[in-house]
Amino acid sequence: MAIVQGARPARRSNDTEYPFRQDSDFHYLTGFDHPNAVAVFRSGGPGYTLFVEPRDAEAETWNGYRPGVEGALREHGADQAHPIAELPQRLPALLAGCRRLYHALGLDAALDAQIIGMAETLRQRSRDGENPPEAIADPRGILHEMRLRKEPGEIELLRRAAAITAEAHREAAALAWPGRFEYEMEAQLLCGFRRRGAAGPAYGSIVGGGPRATTLHYVQNDQPLAAGEVVLVDAGCELEGYASDVTRCYPVGGRFAPAQRAIYDLVLESQRAALDAVRPGATLPAVHQAALAVLARGMIELGLLQGTPEQVIEQKSYARYFMHGTSHWIGLDVHDVGAYAQEGAPRRLEAGMVFSVEPGLYVPQEDAEAPAELRGIGIRIEDDVVVTSAGCENLNAAIPKEAPAVEAWVQAGEATAPAQRAN
């Protein structure tokens, strides 16, 4: 038997809450996107039982529709359903005869205590033939391996999320003009996501102009854009729980300066090398190494580092300007679940796995050892890819990466709304 707990509302401040977002494992198994629910899966007897908040006219007046017990059966395919308040008294009957129990301990102390107490009660009744589970195991190892291999319907949702993200980036790029603020581009992204049916951003959007692009998780997004800067935009939408994760860099005013273009073209070359390395049987470290080999050579050519590419990689001096990995899994979480290694070795890629490819190069403004013209430039280019039988499918191919095409997206803002630059 497996007991899987859904998410609860999270308090934002005082008496306000964050918008509800279901636990990803619970969503994957049930599709039930309402708070305070528990699912029980059991071999023998009722296979799928949902414990949910019952219908309540007054509560629904304030907070919206609840499926209730009836909806859990009718709309969500449960074999049986009960009010969540009945969980403590109904669990013992479900546990009876269960040899192995899957439950993630440590997430809810009260539920943990109930389950352990029930198991102990069954143990004390062993003379009556009511044996407790022999073991309590964490279900997430099994669940996360399932989630790592995307089914066709999941991949289609990721494609749709990518298409929405592409349109939102196109609209935001047109605002990359001097005098605009980072938050205006962020607002355009949010509008683009919501207007096309997405729930909103899949993570905190990063819109960092100029030297702020060298801060990897910059999210203040409150500074004006200045002529001659590049604005790094790391933003993707969430659609029916599934995330898109994309980064592009747009020249403010529509033209890359020579130093910016040199770094941009280097990062793009490194990403292409990484994408070429994606195929079944390859590993994420191999994808990373393909990007790193190009970046190491380029850092030397740009005057950022000394030595040979082999020395730069061996001594890890590249980490001064490229300090993160190239990939992470993507799915119901933007940094999705699934083991990165098996039996002490990097896991081999398989068709249906989805992950990011995102090399970058970041030169801090205060780096006195870097060539002056490179300081304060941060470039990252990120796409989401699905491993296929022959290589990979780039979900974000609709968002341009070639420098002239990127410039054209920004220049479209000049043609359609020239007055915006004076605001």
Side-chain angles (χ1 to χ4, degrees):
M1 187 172 89
I3 301 173
V4 182
Q5 190 169 17
R8 295 174 176 174
R11 189 166 74 103
R12 182 183 182 275
S13 61
N14 195 18
D15 60 350
T16 63
E17 296 174 347
Y18 287 104
F20 177 73
R21 205 280 189 181
Q22 186 59 276
D23 174 81
S24 293
D25 285 339
F26 195 87
H27 174 91
Y28 179 79
L29 290 171
T30 71
F32 189 85
D33 287 330
H34 300 268
N36 302 318
V38 172
V40 177
F41 303 90
R42 194 182 192 281
S43 60
Y48 170 30
T49 303
L50 265 177
F51 292 87
V52 302
E53 291 182 320
R55 296 297 303 272
D56 183 321
E58 182 177 357
E60 292 180 53
T61 296
W62 287 94
N63 298 313
Y65 169 69
R66 290 181 181 178
V69 171
E70 302 83 358
L73 295 168
R74 182 180 61 251
E75 300 166 20
H76 295 278
D79 296 317
Q80 63 179 20
H82 306 286
I84 187 66
E86 296 181 11
L87 179 66
Q89 59 261 39
R90 290 186 178 273
L91 266 184
L94 290 166
L95 275 170
C98 171
R99 297 184 59 189
R100 177 176 290 269
L101 173 63
Y102 289 91
H103 170 66
L105 293 167
L107 300 180
D108 185 325
L111 183 57
D112 293 349
Q114 288 178 17
I115 291 170
I116 293 170
M118 291 172 194
E120 183 59 28
T121 298
L122 289 171
R123 184 174 289 107
Q124 293 172 2
R125 295 177 181 173
S126 59
R127 292 181 185 178
D128 301 325
E130 296 188 27
N131 295 319
E134 296 174 358
I136 298 178
D138 195 321
R140 289 173 293 187
I142 297 171
L143 268 175
H144 294 175
E145 284 298 298
M146 293 168 64
R147 285 176 52 190
L148 178 58
R149 297 168 176 85
K150 306 299 187 288
E151 297 178 1
E154 295 177 279
I155 293 172
E156 183 56 32
L157 275 174
L158 289 164
R159 289 192 186 106
R160 288 170 53 198
I164 291 172
T165 297
E167 288 302 303
H169 266 257
R170 179 181 57 81
E171 293 165 347
L175 300 183
W177 286 90
R180 284 287 187 182
F181 279 77
E182 295 163 342
Y183 54 70
E184 294 182 77
M185 295 186 72
E186 180 185 14
Q188 188 63 60
L189 288 162
L190 177 58
C191 176
F193 296 157
R194 292 292 284 148
R195 188 156 55 88
R196 294 174 174 88
Y203 51 94
S205 299
I206 298 168
V207 183
R212 297 173 296 284
T214 66
T215 299
L216 299 185
H217 289 166
Y218 172 81
V219 292
Q220 285 82 3
N221 303 345
D222 60 358
Q223 295 301 303
L225 300 174
E229 292 183 337
V230 173
V231 55
L232 184 152
V233 178
D234 186 338
C237 76
E238 179 175 285
L239 180 68
E240 297 184 32
Y242 286 81
S244 178
D245 186 6
V246 181
T247 306
R248 291 293 187 267
C249 295
Y250 302 109
V252 177
R255 294 288 182 191
F256 286 106
Q260 296 165 350
R261 178 69 183 269
I263 293 181
Y264 186 90
D265 286 347
L266 172 61
V267 174
L268 181 57
E269 182 186 355
S270 75
Q271 199 214 27
R272 286 184 179 138
L275 290 170
D276 287 343
V278 177
R279 63 182 63 88
T283 67
L284 291 185
V287 173
H288 177 73
Q289 287 300 125
L292 181 57
V294 175
L295 286 173
R297 186 204 71 224
M299 290 182 205
I300 296 168
E301 293 174 352
L302 289 171
L304 289 168
L305 299 174
Q306 304 296 318
T308 66
E310 294 76 16
Q311 290 170 334
V312 164
I313 292 172
E314 181 180 358
Q315 298 167 8
K316 297 185 177 180
S317 54
Y318 65 84
R320 182 172 180 175
Y321 303 110
F322 176 44
M323 63 292 294
H324 59 78
T326 302
S327 300
H328 59 77
W329 306 128
I330 292 174
L332 281 168
D333 294 304
V334 68
H335 292 166
D336 209 28
V337 295
Y340 286 84
Q342 291 180 311
E343 298 180 355
R347 80 178 307 149
R348 299 289 174 179
L349 297 176
E350 303 172 28
M353 293 179 177
V354 183
F355 56 91
S356 67
V357 179
E358 52 175 320
L361 200 158
Y362 317 90
V363 186
Q365 183 74 56
E366 62 277 7
D367 189 341
E369 297 182 22
E373 68 274 14
L374 302 181
R375 297 174 196 168
I377 300 174
I379 300 292
R380 181 166 65 253
I381 302 173
E382 177 182 19
D383 289 316
D384 305 336
V385 299
V386 181
V387 182
T388 65
S389 59
C392 71
E393 173 189 352
N394 187 339
L395 296 175
N396 307 118
I399 308 178
K401 293 183 291 187
E402 294 286 347
V406 173
E407 291 175 335
W409 263 23
V410 178
Q411 292 164 11
E414 181 180 32
T416 59
Q420 292 178 351
R421 301 196 310 279
N423 290 353

